[in-house]
Amino acid sequence: MAECVVCGEQVAVSNACPHCAQLTCPAHRTAHDCPGVSSDGATWYTDPDAGRAAPTPTAGVRELSEPRRLAAGVIAVVVIALVAALAVGATAGSTGIDDERVERLVVTEVNDARTARGLAPLAANTTLAGVADAHSADMAARGYVNHTAPDGTTVAERLAQAGLTCPGGENIYYTPNGRLLVTERGLAERVVAEWLRSPGHRRALLDTGYTRQGIGVVVGGDGGIYVTQNLC
């Protein structure tokens, strides 16, 4: 245990401010000497991307996919996290994270969420992981966030190209805050927490019809973090 920098109350080390790394108690999370903390008066949150321009839309590609079941039987939903980061310090153009470790941790977090609700865990599948990783890499390389690629390739087509015939699903998470250093476990927890908070993502993640999953995490050249989950 350590002490709050404002009042001296005993706090856990995990209560460090994600901007300045100072330890704070719950009462002073919005009231300590740190210019990076904002408050709406009830809850605290971070906004590491304040003032950054929004990504330039890709011609012909919708930036957000509504949670829906596609004609091919594929569930595809996306979260774009513009607010809230699990940052512990700034970097210059790199997150410094181990993307493969994040992938393993997301698999674990997903299965923890399922088993906590009495559902069977999803087996990690290398083929699905390959599809997910390739899509995250494509989004990072071409600067879009969507289940449909700029050339029109869909989730169902990507799964079919990999030899998968199951009715599949896809969840996407994107945050432009990669210019801040994040911990692998913190990032994995944030991704799954955001998926569970979104009705479409939650429905896919907890779907009892799925038995396998693959996760692909890629850090873009601009520091944005792209995460894809494919399910079968």
Side-chain angles (χ1 to χ4, degrees):
M1 298 290 287
E3 296 181 352
C4 171
V5 295
V6 179
C7 67
E9 179 182 335
Q10 293 291 300
V11 294
V13 174
S14 60
N15 281 358
C17 171
H19 284 292
C20 65
Q22 295 185 93
L23 298 176
T24 60
C25 67
H28 293 108
R29 284 175 179 166
T30 61
H32 67 280
D33 186 17
C34 173
V37 173
S38 300
S39 173
D40 62 7
T43 60
W44 78 304
Y45 58 90
T46 62
D47 187 4
D49 298 291
R52 289 183 56 163
T56 302
T58 303
V61 177
R62 290 183 300 112
E63 288 302 308
L64 291 174
S65 295
E66 292 296 329
R68 59 195 174 92
R69 185 171 292 274
L70 305 180
V74 177
I75 293 177
V77 281
V78 55
V79 161
I80 295 184
L82 296 177
V83 175
L86 296 163
V88 295
T91 66
S94 172
T95 62
I97 67 168
D98 181 339
D99 52 1
E100 292 184 356
R101 182 164 186 263
V102 176
E103 291 167 357
R104 294 192 297 271
L105 289 169
V106 170
V107 167
T108 299
E109 289 292 325
V110 167
N111 284 337
D112 285 349
R114 287 176 63 92
T115 56
R117 293 163 174 79
L119 305 176
L122 301 173
N125 182 273
T126 55
T127 303
L128 285 169
V131 175
D133 194 63
H135 188 55
S136 289
D138 188 55
M139 289 191 294
R142 295 202 269 182
Y144 70 98
V145 182
N146 204 290
H147 299 287
T148 302
D151 61 8
T153 304
T154 65
V155 181
E157 289 171 332
R158 290 193 294 275
L159 294 175
Q161 289 167 4
L164 297 163
T165 58
C166 59
E170 182 173 89
N171 284 334
I172 289 175
Y173 174 93
Y174 167 73
T175 178
N177 71 358
R179 62 193 176 88
L180 298 177
L181 178 65
V182 296
T183 66
E184 287 87 354
R185 183 169 299 281
L187 176 58
E189 290 174 350
R190 170 63 62 178
V191 170
V192 176
E194 292 296 331
W195 283 343
L196 288 171
R197 191 171 291 121
S198 163
H201 292 81
R202 182 186 181 90
R203 185 164 55 250
L205 193 151
L206 301 179
D207 194 320
T208 57
Y210 295 134
T211 60
R212 297 166 286 167
Q213 69 172 321
I215 306 296
V217 177
V218 171
V219 181
D222 62 352
I225 299 174
Y226 301 78
V227 183
T228 303
Q229 177 191 42
N230 283 117
L231 302 140
C232 272

